[in-house]
Amino acid sequence: MNDLVIMNNHQAVTTSLILAEAFNKNHRDVLEKISSKINSAENSAQYKKMFVEETYTDKSGKQNKMYYLNRDGFTFIAMGFTGRKADEFKLKYIDAFNKMEEQIKRTYVIQKQDSYMITDPVQRAKRWIEEQEEHQVKLDEEVRKNEILQPKADKYDRYLSNKGLITITEIAKEYGMSGVKLNQFLRDKRVIYKRGNKWFIYQKYANERYVGYEVYLPEGRRSLKWTPEGEMFIRELLENNNIKPVLEQPQQLTVQEPVKYSGKYYTASAIAFNLGLSEEWIMKIGEIANELHIKPRFSNENIYCRKTLNDNGFPRWEYTQYGAALIENEINKFRLVKQI
């Protein structure tokens, strides 16, 4: 009877068989005592945590019932055993439980170490196998998350089709501010910081694909610029701080710079279709664009949309990724209020 306590599912336990033999009891009587505890009306749920039914194969090859008992389960059953010899075995059991639990703790610490830090070659090999399994679980979880997020990613891909980098000045211009002022805003929001005369993005956002760096040769000067994802992030940050784009006003009669946009254009019907909206929204999208004042007053196009002719020769508005994003934002606000 050396192994009074064993490890099962990373827990220190004994069995009804070991318990019966240690205390010189009939195994059938031990089973009945455990069953009466589990089947009792009071505290049955707690008892089920202490005892786990299992089977074992006897010498004749027959399958028989047995139970695993944790420390609490052992305490409940063994407390009814009396006598000096019974007390000796209780002490041995308690000591065996303590030793096994300590061993489990040590094993757990080893398991949580990186394999290269473990000196024992056997334990190192075991930990390496566990690391590979853990890595596979994480990969499976990432695949599952990507499957969930893919529809959302596909939707925003419509607005991020222009893969070039853009300067902070180009973004700032639409909000009536200088690049210096917008950089200061992003610095105050702890998005970027300055070292010497160069801007860098904080580590918190370093893996979000918001920025890129252009290197100018031969001097090797490096300039921070923003990706389409980064541009959308800045626009959302400005929107959340109630900073709106400077939209064209009637008094803006000065000559405007040519629009520099090389991405896709989207009709109202395309926007409605991509957002899963009914046909009645096609007209509403035009109304939203009017309310946002994103249609140019004194030309046929701007950074948000352009005026073209459809196949029948009638005027039609087509929206850039920026205009489509603004329209979608307004639709989402409406959906949030109406819960549609």
Side-chain angles (χ1 to χ4, degrees), residues 188-206:
D188 294 341
K189 296 298 180 182
R190 300 190 65 78
V191 176
I192 60 175
Y193 64 95
K194 199 169 190 178
R195 183 184 297 163
N197 62 348
K198 296 181 177 65
W199 289 101
F200 298 89
I201 195 165
Y202 275 103
Q203 185 61 38
K204 176 181 178 181
Y205 303 104

Side-chain angles (χ1 to χ4, degrees), residues 75-140:
T75 302
F76 263 93
I77 299 302
M79 68 170 57
F81 301 154
T82 58
R84 185 174 59 82
K85 188 174 182 180
D87 288 343
E88 289 178 2
F89 271 112
K90 288 178 187 177
L91 291 173
K92 287 182 180 179
Y93 258 105
I94 292 171
D95 183 58
F97 266 111
N98 290 336
K99 288 180 178 177
M100 180 58 70
E101 287 172 353
E102 182 61 32
Q103 178 183 334
I104 291 172
K105 288 179 183 177
R106 288 198 303 269
T107 303
Y108 179 80
V109 170
I110 290 174
Q111 287 175 341
K112 289 303 173 184
Q113 282 182 303
D114 291 331
S115 57
Y116 71 88
M117 297 177 64
I118 301 173
T119 55
D120 183 273
V122 176
Q123 293 295 339
R124 184 169 62 246
K126 287 181 179 179
R127 180 58 186 144
W128 183 86
I129 293 172
E130 289 175 354
E131 286 173 347
Q132 305 311 304
E133 292 174 349
E134 291 169 1
H135 179 64
Q136 186 60 49
V137 169
K138 289 180 180 178
L139 284 177
D140 293 342

Side-chain angles (χ1 to χ4, degrees), residues 202-264:
Y202 275 103
Q203 185 61 38
K204 176 181 178 181
Y205 303 104
N207 297 322
E208 299 293 339
R209 298 190 302 174
Y210 288 159
V211 300
Y213 295 92
E214 284 194 356
V215 179
Y216 296 90
L217 299 175
E219 68 274 17
R221 180 171 58 86
R222 197 169 72 154
S223 175
L224 182 144
K225 292 189 176 182
W226 296 86
T227 65
E229 291 91 343
E231 182 182 355
M232 292 298 292
F233 167 74
I234 293 174
R235 291 180 182 279
E236 289 177 4
L237 192 61
L238 291 166
E239 175 76 17
N240 292 337
N241 285 270
N242 203 31
I243 301 174
K244 308 288 185 181
V246 177
L247 304 175
E248 290 141 344
Q249 302 297 324
Q251 65 270 24
Q252 292 179 320
L253 298 175
T254 56
V255 177
Q256 300 178 358
E257 295 181 12
V259 175
K260 296 179 180 179
Y261 177 74
S262 58
K264 291 182 180 179

Side-chain angles (χ1 to χ4, degrees), residues 34-72:
I34 295 172
S35 296
S36 67
K37 292 288 185 184
I38 295 174
N39 298 324
S40 64
E42 295 182 0
N43 304 317
S44 61
Q46 289 179 286
Y47 288 136
K48 287 178 181 178
K49 295 178 182 178
M50 303 176 190
F51 310 106
V52 176
E53 185 175 331
E54 190 54 85
T55 60
Y56 73 96
T57 305
D58 62 18
K59 293 179 181 178
S60 66
K62 182 183 176 183
Q63 293 285 315
N64 299 294
K65 184 169 76 171
M66 58 167 273
Y67 283 99
Y68 283 114
L69 299 77
N70 64 12
R71 181 191 282 267
D72 293 337

Side-chain angles (χ1 to χ4, degrees), residues 168-170 172-173 177-185 199:
I168 196 69
T169 302
E170 291 175 274
K173 187 165 53 177
M177 63 176 76
S178 66
V180 172
K181 187 175 180 180
L182 184 50
N183 273 334
Q184 290 173 346
F185 169 81
W199 289 101

